[in-house]
Coordinates of all heavy atoms in Angstrom, one line a residue:
G28 N -88.4 201.0 66.9 CA -87.4 202.1 66.9 C -86.0 201.4 67.0 O -85.9 200.3 67.4
P29 N -85.0 202.2 66.5 CA -83.7 201.6 66.6 C -83.2 201.4 68.0 O -83.8 201.9 69.0 CB -82.8 202.7 65.9 CG -83.6 203.9 66.0 CD -85.1 203.6 66.0
P30 N -82.2 200.6 68.2 CA -81.6 200.4 69.5 C -81.2 201.8 70.1 O -80.7 202.6 69.3 CB -80.4 199.5 69.3 CG -80.3 199.2 67.9 CD -81.4 199.8 67.2
G31 N -81.6 202.0 71.3 CA -81.3 203.3 71.9 C -82.4 204.3 71.7 O -82.2 205.5 72.2
K34 N -87.2 202.4 73.7 CA -88.3 201.5 73.8 C -88.4 200.8 75.1 O -89.4 200.6 75.8 CB -88.2 200.4 72.7 CG -88.1 200.9 71.3 CD -88.1 199.8 70.3 CE -87.0 198.8 70.4 NZ -85.7 199.3 70.1
S51 N -89.5 192.0 75.9 CA -88.4 192.5 75.1 C -87.7 191.3 74.5 O -87.2 190.5 75.2 CB -87.4 193.3 76.0 OG -86.1 193.2 75.4
T52 N -87.8 191.2 73.2 CA -87.2 190.0 72.6 C -85.7 190.0 72.7 O -85.1 189.0 72.8 CB -87.6 189.9 71.1 OG1 -87.4 191.2 70.4 CG2 -89.1 189.5 70.9
G53 N -85.1 191.2 72.8 CA -83.6 191.3 73.0 C -83.3 190.7 74.4 O -82.3 189.9 74.5
N54 N -84.0 191.1 75.4 CA -83.8 190.6 76.8 C -84.0 189.1 76.8 O -83.3 188.3 77.5 CB -84.7 191.3 77.8 CG -84.2 192.7 78.1 OD1 -83.2 193.1 77.7 ND2 -85.0 193.5 78.8
C56 N -83.6 186.9 74.4 CA -82.5 186.3 73.8 C -81.3 186.3 74.7 O -80.6 185.3 74.9 CB -82.1 187.1 72.5 SG -83.2 187.0 71.2
R57 N -81.0 187.4 75.4 CA -79.9 187.5 76.3 C -80.1 186.5 77.5 O -79.1 186.0 78.1 CB -79.7 188.9 76.8 CG -79.0 189.8 75.8 CD -78.8 191.2 76.3 NE -80.0 192.0 76.3 CZ -80.4 192.7 75.3 NH1 -79.8 192.8 74.2 NH2 -81.6 193.4 75.4
I70 N -77.9 181.1 69.4 CA -78.0 182.5 69.0 C -76.9 183.4 69.6 O -76.8 184.6 69.2 CB -79.3 183.1 69.4 CG1 -79.5 183.2 70.9 CG2 -80.5 182.4 68.8 CD1 -80.8 183.8 71.4
I73 N -74.7 185.2 67.0 CA -75.5 186.2 66.2 C -75.7 187.5 66.9 O -75.6 188.6 66.4 CB -76.8 185.5 65.8 CG1 -76.6 184.2 65.1 CG2 -77.7 186.5 64.9 CD1 -77.8 183.3 64.8
I74 N -76.1 187.4 68.2 CA -76.4 188.6 69.0 C -75.1 189.4 69.1 O -75.1 190.6 69.0 CB -76.9 188.2 70.4 CG1 -78.2 187.4 70.2 CG2 -77.1 189.4 71.3 CD1 -79.4 188.0 70.8
K75 N -74.0 188.7 69.4 CA -72.7 189.4 69.6 C -72.3 190.2 68.4 O -71.6 191.2 68.4 CB -71.6 188.5 70.0 CG -71.7 188.1 71.5 CD -70.5 187.4 72.0 CE -70.7 187.0 73.5 NZ -70.5 185.6 73.7
S76 N -72.7 189.7 67.2 CA -72.3 190.4 66.0 C -73.4 191.4 65.5 O -73.1 192.1 64.5 CB -72.1 189.3 64.9 OG -73.3 188.7 64.6
G77 N -74.5 191.5 66.2 CA -75.5 192.5 65.9 C -76.4 192.2 64.8 O -77.2 193.0 64.4
K78 N -76.4 190.8 64.4 CA -77.3 190.4 63.4 C -78.6 190.0 64.0 O -78.7 189.8 65.2 CB -76.7 189.3 62.6 CG -75.4 189.7 61.9 CD -75.1 188.7 60.8 CE -73.9 189.2 60.0 NZ -72.7 188.4 60.2
L79 N -79.6 189.7 63.1 CA -80.9 189.2 63.6 C -81.0 187.7 63.7 O -80.4 187.0 62.8 CB -82.0 189.7 62.7 CG -82.2 191.3 62.7 CD1 -83.4 191.6 61.8 CD2 -82.5 191.8 64.1
I80 N -81.7 187.2 64.7 CA -81.9 185.8 64.7 C -83.1 185.4 63.8 O -83.8 186.2 63.4 CB -82.0 185.2 66.2 CG1 -83.3 185.7 66.8 CG2 -80.9 185.7 67.1 CD1 -83.6 184.9 68.0
D81 N -83.1 184.1 63.6 CA -84.1 183.5 62.6 C -85.5 183.9 62.9 O -86.0 183.9 64.1 CB -83.9 182.0 62.7 CG -84.9 181.3 61.8 OD1 -84.7 181.3 60.6 OD2 -85.9 180.7 62.4
D82 N -86.2 184.3 61.8 CA -87.6 184.8 62.0 C -88.5 183.8 62.6 O -89.4 184.2 63.5 CB -88.2 185.1 60.6 CG -87.5 186.4 60.0 OD1 -87.2 187.4 60.8 OD2 -87.3 186.5 58.8
M85 N -87.8 183.3 66.3 CA -88.2 184.5 67.1 C -89.7 184.5 67.2 O -90.3 184.8 68.3 CB -87.8 185.8 66.3 CG -87.8 187.0 67.1 SD -86.4 187.0 68.2 CE -87.3 186.9 69.7
T86 N -90.4 184.2 66.1 CA -91.9 184.2 66.2 C -92.4 183.1 67.2 O -93.3 183.3 67.9 CB -92.5 183.9 64.8 OG1 -91.9 184.8 63.9 CG2 -94.0 184.2 64.7
V89 N -92.2 184.4 70.6 CA -93.2 185.4 70.9 C -94.5 184.7 71.1 O -95.3 185.0 72.0 CB -93.3 186.4 69.8 CG1 -94.5 187.3 70.0 CG2 -92.0 187.3 69.7
D106 N -91.7 194.7 72.6 CA -90.5 195.6 72.5 C -89.5 194.9 71.7 O -88.8 194.0 72.2 CB -90.1 196.0 73.9 CG -88.7 196.6 74.0 OD1 -88.1 196.8 72.9 OD2 -88.2 196.8 75.1
G107 N -89.4 195.3 70.4 CA -88.3 194.7 69.5 C -88.8 193.6 68.6 O -88.0 193.0 67.9
F108 N -90.1 193.4 68.5 CA -90.7 192.4 67.6 C -92.0 193.0 67.2 O -92.8 193.5 68.0 CB -90.9 191.0 68.3 CG -91.6 190.0 67.4 CD1 -90.9 189.1 66.7 CD2 -93.0 190.0 67.3 CE1 -91.5 188.2 65.9 CE2 -93.6 189.1 66.5 CZ -92.9 188.2 65.8
P109 N -92.4 192.8 65.9 CA -91.7 192.3 64.8 C -90.6 193.3 64.3 O -90.7 194.5 64.5 CB -92.7 192.0 63.7 CG -93.8 193.0 64.0 CD -93.8 193.2 65.5
R110 N -89.6 192.8 63.6 CA -88.5 193.6 63.2 C -88.2 193.4 61.7 O -87.3 194.1 61.1 CB -87.2 193.1 63.9 CG -86.5 194.2 64.7 CD -85.6 193.6 65.6 NE -84.5 194.2 66.1 CZ -84.3 194.3 67.4 NH1 -85.2 194.1 68.3 NH2 -83.1 194.6 67.9
T111 N -88.8 192.5 61.0 CA -88.6 192.2 59.6 C -90.0 192.0 59.0 O -91.0 191.8 59.7 CB -87.8 191.0 59.3 OG1 -88.6 189.8 59.8 CG2 -86.5 191.0 60.0
Q114 N -91.3 188.7 59.8 CA -91.9 188.6 61.2 C -93.3 189.3 61.3 O -94.2 188.8 62.0 CB -91.0 189.3 62.2 CG -89.7 188.5 62.5 CD -88.7 189.1 63.4 OE1 -89.1 190.0 64.2 NE2 -87.5 188.6 63.4
R150 N -74.9 203.6 77.9 CA -75.9 203.1 78.8 C -75.4 201.9 79.6 O -74.5 201.1 79.2 CB -77.1 202.7 78.0 CG -77.3 201.4 77.4 CD -78.6 201.2 76.8 NE -78.6 200.1 75.7 CZ -79.6 199.9 74.9 NH1 -80.7 200.7 74.9 NH2 -79.5 198.9 74.0
R188 N -74.2 195.6 78.3 CA -74.6 194.6 77.4 C -73.4 194.3 76.4 O -72.8 195.3 76.0 CB -75.8 194.9 76.5 CG -77.0 195.0 77.3 CD -78.2 195.3 76.4 NE -79.4 195.5 77.2 CZ -80.5 196.2 76.8 NH1 -80.5 196.7 75.6 NH2 -81.5 196.3 77.6
D190 N -73.4 193.6 73.4 CA -73.6 194.2 72.1 C -73.7 195.8 72.1 O -74.0 196.3 71.1 CB -74.7 193.6 71.3 CG -76.1 193.6 72.1 OD1 -76.0 194.0 73.3 OD2 -77.1 193.2 71.5
D191 N -73.6 196.4 73.3 CA -73.7 197.8 73.3 C -72.4 198.5 73.1 O -72.0 199.4 73.8 CB -74.3 198.2 74.7 CG -75.8 198.2 74.7 OD1 -76.4 197.9 73.7 OD2 -76.4 198.4 75.8
V195 N -70.4 197.2 67.3 CA -71.6 196.4 67.1 C -72.8 197.2 66.8 O -73.7 196.9 66.0 CB -71.9 195.4 68.3 CG1 -73.1 194.6 68.1 CG2 -70.6 194.6 68.6
R199 N -75.9 196.9 64.2 CA -77.4 196.8 64.6 C -78.1 197.9 63.9 O -79.3 197.6 63.5 CB -77.4 197.0 66.2 CG -76.8 195.8 66.9 CD -76.6 196.1 68.4 NE -77.8 196.2 69.1 CZ -77.8 196.7 70.4 NH1 -76.7 197.1 70.9 NH2 -79.0 196.7 71.1
V202 N -78.7 197.0 60.2 CA -79.7 196.0 60.1 C -81.1 196.5 60.4 O -82.0 196.3 59.6 CB -79.4 194.8 61.1 CG1 -80.5 193.8 61.2 CG2 -78.1 194.1 60.8
Ligands
AMP200 P1 -82.4 194.6 71.3 O1 -82.1 194.5 72.7 O2 -83.9 194.7 71.0 O3 -81.6 195.6 70.6 O4 -82.0 193.2 70.6 C1 -80.7 192.6 70.8 C2 -80.4 191.6 69.8 O5 -81.4 190.5 70.0 C3 -80.6 192.0 68.3 O6 -79.5 192.6 67.8 C4 -80.9 190.6 67.6 O7 -79.7 189.9 67.5 C5 -81.8 189.9 68.7 N1 -83.2 190.2 68.5 C6 -84.0 190.9 69.3 N2 -85.3 191.0 68.8 C7 -85.2 190.3 67.6 C8 -86.1 190.1 66.5 N3 -87.4 190.5 66.6 N4 -85.7 189.4 65.4 C9 -84.5 188.9 65.3 N5 -83.5 189.2 66.3 C10 -83.9 189.8 67.4

Side-chain angles (χ1 to χ4, degrees):
K34 303 185 301 292
S51 153
T52 47
N54 285 352
C56 291
R57 284 183 284 272
I70 65 177
I73 303 171
I74 301 244
K75 281 191 185 125
S76 62
K78 298 200 175 110
L79 293 182
I80 70 163
D81 178 71
D82 287 325
M85 199 70 253
T86 311
V89 172
D106 162 3
F108 177 94
R110 237 164 152 123
T111 64
Q114 287 180 17
R150 88 174 159 193
R188 289 181 187 161
D190 54 350
D191 275 356
V195 179
R199 290 165 73 192
V202 169

